[in-house]
Amino acid sequence: MESKEDMGATSWERVKSGLAEIGYVADDRLSMALHLAQALGRPLLLEGPAGVGKTEVARAMAQLMGTELIRLQCYEGLDASHAIYEWNYQRQLLAIRASEATGGVSEAALFSEDYLLRRPLLEAISRAVPPVLLIDEIDRADEEFEAYLLEVLSEFQITIPELGTVTAQSRPIVVLTANGTRDLSDALRRRCLYSYVDYPDRETELAILQARAPQIEARLARQIVGVVQGLRREELEKLPGIAEMLDWAAALSGLGVNDLSQSPDAVQATLVCLLKTAADRDAAPREVMDRLIGKVA
Ligand SMILES: Nc1ncnc2c1ncn2[C@@H]1O[C@H](COP(=O)(O)OP(=O)(O)OP(=O)(O)O)[C@@H](O)[C@H]1O
Ligand SMILES: [Mg+2]
């Protein structure tokens, strides 16, 4: 954790510039949130639409800090045995069988570290060097699981009845992501710092495209970002995220396009990258795309 002086005005800017160097463009608000999560040792809850870089920021933070990323992907039915720890029953049984001839094996030996399967939460608090712990899509897990998580996130310790309590020596940076599948409990929100990650503004999105696909020429990059920003203002079921924008840019560049206004067929052919439902595909016929391209050409 950083010292008091490091919590000054420029620390979050160091997060921002450090992330930019490794190709993740974070705006001021997200950079501040990440810095505070690190400085205060509090989990950070990131909410926002699909494909805006919530998962990726955890990966980028781990890379920036030169530490490991430990990821817990949440899903319906996720339970403590998959998230925290479980005993390796198969190995325990084998040990019991193997020791039958020699008079058996003690219970203490069976419930020792050797037979413990560490799952991501236990793994993250056991490390000497604190990792970044990504608890991805927490809103997909059940409320019951949220309750387990609350315990872990408030104390950063896990009690294993047979072994004792494991306490984090230094807290991992915890990033939780959600995109509104269900409401999260107030108790969980209270324990976390919070940042809403929205679609980026034009300038930020251009910077992301330049960071991720530097081979794309400035004019085409401006057109791509302008059209995607325009599409997000149309009545669509699923607005294209940053991931879709990057796919589209790669597709256009692969087809040798260098000016959208000269390549209507390529634009139509590559909309598969941007529009992900039949209704959205219908909502963006050639006329609509021509209009959007006309505004940015
Ligand atoms: N700010 C950013 N800087 C650089 N690349 C970004 C940024 N945001 C998103 N990306 C790119 O977009 C891709 C999609 O982002 P990511 O998977 O993190 O979205 P998400 O918000 O987790 O979406 P979902 O809710 O669907 O899981 C990333 O792999 C990354 O390449
Ligand atoms: Mg994600």
Side-chain angles (χ1 to χ4, degrees), residues 23-26 48-57 137 179 208 212 242-243 246:
Y24 188 92
V25 183
V52 293
K54 302 183 297 297
T55 300
E56 185 71 11
V57 75
E137 307 188 340
N179 57 25
I208 294 171
R212 293 281 152 141
I242 296 168
L246 292 173

Side-chain angles (χ1 to χ4, degrees), residues 34-103:
L34 290 162
H35 162 64
L36 289 176
Q38 183 185 13
L40 303 175
R42 297 285 295 277
L44 173 62
L45 171 61
L46 298 178
E47 245 178 341
V52 293
K54 302 183 297 297
T55 300
E56 185 71 11
V57 75
R59 208 171 287 138
M61 272 308 274
Q63 195 183 334
L64 175 62
M65 299 177 57
T67 190
E68 206 181 324
L69 176 74
I70 295 182
R71 178 176 184 175
L72 174 64
Q73 172 64 50
C74 299
Y75 52 87
E76 212 182 316
L78 173 64
D79 60 13
S81 67
H82 287 97
I84 306 179
Y85 72 92
E86 67 184 320
W87 292 106
N88 190 338
Y89 292 122
Q90 259 172 337
R91 281 199 62 200
Q92 286 174 322
L93 278 176
L94 285 173
I96 292 168
R97 279 210 203 108
S99 69
E100 266 163 7
T102 57

Side-chain angles (χ1 to χ4, degrees), residues 30-274:
L30 180 58
S31 306
M32 177 61 93
L34 290 162
H35 162 64
L36 289 176
Q38 183 185 13
L40 303 175
R42 297 285 295 277
L44 173 62
L45 171 61
L46 298 178
E47 245 178 341
V52 293
K54 302 183 297 297
T55 300
E56 185 71 11
V57 75
R59 208 171 287 138
M61 272 308 274
Q63 195 183 334
L64 175 62
M65 299 177 57
T67 190
E68 206 181 324
L69 176 74
I70 295 182
R71 178 176 184 175
L72 174 64
Q73 172 64 50
C74 299
Y75 52 87
E76 212 182 316
L78 173 64
D79 60 13
S81 67
H82 287 97
I84 306 179
Y85 72 92
E86 67 184 320
W87 292 106
N88 190 338
Y89 292 122
Q90 259 172 337
R91 281 199 62 200
Q92 286 174 322
L93 278 176
L94 285 173
I96 292 168
R97 279 210 203 108
S99 69
E100 266 163 7
T102 57
V105 56
S106 75
E107 195 173 317
L110 283 177
F111 290 95
S112 64
E113 296 263 351
D114 289 350
Y115 299 93
L116 187 67
L117 292 173
R118 290 166 190 275
R119 301 305 187 195
L121 296 182
L122 179 59
E123 190 70 58
I125 70 162
S126 312
R127 292 287 169 89
V129 177
V132 173
L133 170 63
L134 168 63
I135 301 173
D136 215 7
E137 307 188 340
I138 177 63
D139 49 343
R140 288 178 193 271
D142 315 307
E143 283 168 44
E144 191 193 354
F145 178 73
E146 234 187 72
Y148 286 125
L149 201 56
L150 281 176
E151 263 183 68
V152 178
L153 294 184
S154 41
E155 306 296 328
F156 284 89
Q157 64 179 34
I158 290 170
T159 299
I160 304 170
E162 299 85 349
L163 283 182
T165 298
V166 182
T167 307
Q169 316 218 313
S170 43
R171 293 186 169 190
I173 294 186
V174 184
V175 176
L176 297 102
T177 79
N179 57 25
T181 304
R182 67 171 172 80
D183 251 353
L184 300 173
S185 71
D186 288 349
L188 182 66
R189 284 182 190 277
R190 257 200 334 269
R191 277 171 184 77
C192 299
L193 308 182
Y194 178 81
S195 187
Y196 188 84
V197 186
D198 211 340
Y199 297 111
D201 61 24
R202 189 181 294 253
E203 224 174 285
T204 307
E205 193 156 23
L206 199 53
I208 294 171
L209 179 55
Q210 275 157 356
R212 293 281 152 141
Q215 79 283 4
I216 292 180
E217 279 184 40
R219 180 182 60 173
L220 180 63
R222 262 198 318 278
Q223 291 179 338
I224 289 171
V225 168
V227 168
V228 170
Q229 297 252 327
L231 267 177
R232 292 195 192 117
R233 287 191 290 271
E234 300 289 316
E235 300 267 318
L236 298 178
E237 286 178 347
K238 298 229 176 294
L239 299 183
I242 296 168
E244 280 77 16
M245 182 277 293
L246 292 173
D247 280 349
W248 193 40
L252 290 167
S253 141
L255 290 174
V257 170
N258 50 34
D259 179 354
L260 294 185
S261 61
Q262 303 299 312
S263 320
D265 293 336
V267 167
Q268 286 300 312
T270 50
L271 287 182
V272 290
C273 301
L274 284 180

